[in-house]
Amino acid sequence: QVQLVESGGGLVQAGGSLRLSCAASGRAISNYAMGWLRQAPGKEREFVATISVSGDNTIYADSVKGRFAISRDNAKNMVYLQMNSLKPEDTAIYYCAADRDYLIAQNPVSYDYWGQGTQVTVSS
């Protein structure tokens, strides 16, 4: 089992930045691809970004490419999402999740473990 706890969400103006953190406990995340996903009110949960076990490979949704950056520190069992140039349409609950298979980690249903989420609200 992997337990995931997100932090760092909040209210920010459009154009601002936030850094989300995900603290893992239980099993080491070094065995998992890690991802960030989000769900806006009235919408389905969607993929945001994923990072491979080693951290050498990343994939981003087109909507966040060039603005968001995912990173990980396996020694600390931590995952991060740096979000810059935030837009009102980025408003959502952001979830950290662990996936055994990096190759399918763009599919929200493929993840094995999920955190409780952290709210990000971007005002215009």
Side-chain angles (χ1 to χ4, degrees), residues 22-63:
C22 173
S25 60
R27 292 182 178 178
I29 63 168
S30 56
N31 295 316
Y32 298 89
M34 298 300 296
W36 287 94
L37 301 98
R38 67 187 182 186
Q39 188 165 19
K43 295 187 177 181
E44 293 186 353
R45 196 168 294 188
E46 66 174 2
F47 167 77
V48 175
T50 185
I51 186 167
S52 62
V53 167
S54 66
D56 290 341
N57 298 292
T58 56
I59 303 173
Y60 296 92
D62 288 342
S63 59

Side-chain angles (χ1 to χ4, degrees), residues 19-20 40 70 73 82 85 87 96 110 121:
R19 188 193 194 206
L20 304 184
I70 187 172
D73 185 335
Q82 178 66 43
S85 302
K87 304 175 181 180
C96 175
S110 73
T121 303

Side-chain angles (χ1 to χ4, degrees), residues 3-11 17-24 36 77-83 92-97 115-120:
Q3 291 79 43
L4 302 169
V5 178
E6 303 92 338
S7 62
L11 174 64
S17 297
L18 282 175
R19 188 193 194 206
L20 304 184
S21 297
C22 173
W36 287 94
N77 243 18
M78 295 289 296
V79 184
Y80 307 97
L81 185 69
Q82 178 66 43
M83 305 187 295
I93 299 173
Y94 282 71
Y95 298 90
C96 175
Q116 293 298 309
T118 185
Q119 177 70 49
V120 171

Side-chain angles (χ1 to χ4, degrees), residues 74-123:
N74 287 341
K76 294 182 178 179
N77 243 18
M78 295 289 296
V79 184
Y80 307 97
L81 185 69
Q82 178 66 43
M83 305 187 295
N84 299 325
S85 302
L86 282 160
K87 304 175 181 180
E89 51 263 44
D90 294 319
T91 295
I93 299 173
Y94 282 71
Y95 298 90
C96 175
D99 195 327
R100 290 185 176 91
D101 190 345
Y102 173 74
L103 295 178
I104 59 172
Q106 293 178 71
N107 186 346
V109 302
S110 73
Y111 285 84
D112 302 286
Y113 302 103
W114 292 83
Q116 293 298 309
T118 185
Q119 177 70 49
V120 171
T121 303
V122 185
S123 64

